[in-house]
Amino acid sequence: MRNYYIAGNWKMHMTRSEAAELARTLVAQLKDGEHKYLVAPSFTLIETVAPIVKGSNIGLGAQNMAAEPQGAHTGEVSVLQLKDLGVDTVILGHSERRHVYKEDDALVNAKVKLALQHGFEVILCVGELLEEREAGRAEAVCEGQVVKGLEGVSDLSRVVIAYEPVWAIGTGKTATPEDADAIHAYIRKVIEKTYGAGAAEKIVIQYGGSVKPENAAQLMAKENIDGALVGGAALKADSFVPIAKFGR
Ligand code: 13P
């Protein structure tokens, strides 16, 4: 039985005081929550949020990291620096990194391996563009991103996959629960091919893309949808808490 995992990707939003207030509210309102939770603030907010979520049932994530542990990489943030702040999870391969900042599968894969080597949990994001879906290539695109993103990774116990169709991110257009579930099931098959049925059964696959309090329960009801990676609706406790406590 997989545990539901609801994560908030705060993207490039909030100041320290706003982040502290949201984190405090979430800690208070989710303390009786039954699922696994995470918030991923901007790098500059992590030190503020860390002591607030410490000891709570909300994990602390980062939204990206460099592919090298240290060195001359102006503007990048390293796994060692994140570890130093108490971060234990990193979101990698987000579509905004892939499509806006041109991160390719090889770079994402290098980051995934480095994060795992340092004991982090990884949320590997995959998902197709609208034109890829319309061309009937959604499954192939996701398969390629999963396989290449995990190349050389033998143990999936600290890997979560987030299926985020790019056309559903920040657009208000959610994949139907049926469409999302079909891709999740396909991703599970892809995992089964390389890692076996046990790993495929265990791996948590989140859905991301315009998840809201109104659609969370229908999405989570699907057999292969094990949680959510939430963007816009994660910025307010009023919308994130009902998603995190869906069905109650
Ligand atoms: P929205 O929930 O704003 O569509 O963003 C989804 C996302 O990209 C989470 O990583």
Side-chain angles (χ1 to χ4, degrees):
M1 189 60 196
R2 298 180 292 271
N3 282 335
Y4 285 107
Y5 184 11
I6 315 290
N9 173 6
W10 292 359
K11 304 195 180 182
M12 198 175 69
H13 292 287
M14 288 188 278
T15 58
R16 285 176 298 167
S17 60
E18 290 162 344
E21 192 186 330
L22 177 58
R24 268 189 228 108
T25 308
L26 293 179
V27 167
Q29 297 193 4
L30 290 180
K31 66 173 187 295
D32 60 343
E34 297 159 342
H35 311 305
K36 177 172 171 173
Y37 304 119
L38 179 93
V39 291
S42 292
F43 295 131
T44 59
L45 306 176
I46 291 175
E47 197 167 6
T48 301
V49 171
I52 299 172
V53 297
K54 195 173 179 173
S56 78
N57 58 349
I58 304 176
L60 183 62
Q63 300 170 15
N64 186 26
M65 59 171 234
E68 300 291 332
Q70 59 195 0
H73 294 280
T74 303
E76 293 289 309
V77 172
S78 100
V79 67
L80 302 173
Q81 294 166 329
L82 294 176
K83 204 188 257 188
D84 188 40
L85 292 175
V87 171
D88 53 28
T89 302
V90 62
I91 298 171
L92 294 172
H94 191 278
S95 73
E96 288 145 21
R97 301 302 319 169
R98 291 178 189 268
H99 297 292
V100 184
Y101 297 98
K102 307 297 174 208
E103 293 195 10
D104 62 13
D105 286 310
L107 182 64
V108 173
N109 176 245
K111 294 182 179 194
V112 167
K113 287 191 288 199
L114 184 66
L116 292 173
Q117 270 164 28
H118 284 272
F120 277 53
E121 187 170 301
V122 167
I123 299 179
L124 172 64
C125 302
V126 303
E128 80 285 0
L129 297 163
L130 183 59
E131 56 265 35
E132 292 167 333
R133 170 157 285 259
E134 286 172 345
R137 297 187 51 237
E139 291 182 345
V141 169
C142 293
E143 177 166 9
Q145 291 175 349
V146 168
V147 169
K148 291 179 194 156
L150 294 177
E151 211 170 279
V153 174
S154 54
D155 174 10
L156 295 188
S157 57
R158 278 179 285 114
V159 175
V160 167
I161 293 177
Y163 169 56
E164 299 205 307
V166 181
W167 47 271
I169 296 177
T171 57
K173 282 188 208 153
T174 321
T176 64
E178 290 69 31
D179 285 347
D181 192 55
I183 299 285
H184 284 227
Y186 187 80
I187 292 171
R188 221 177 276 292
K189 282 222 178 70
V190 169
I191 295 293
E192 186 176 346
K193 261 190 256 165
T194 312
Y195 296 93
E201 181 54 36
K202 269 195 220 127
I203 195 160
V204 166
I205 308 179
Q206 298 173 324
Y207 168 78
S210 300
V211 176
K212 303 179 264 252
E214 300 77 45
N215 59 25
Q218 290 102 293
L219 286 160
M220 302 306 153
K222 290 291 173 194
E223 189 184 337
N224 289 290
I225 303 182
D226 310 318
L229 182 54
V230 186
L235 299 175
K236 296 258 179 311
D238 286 355
S239 43
F240 190 68
V241 169
I243 295 170
K245 294 186 170 179
F246 69 90
R248 275 172 61 182

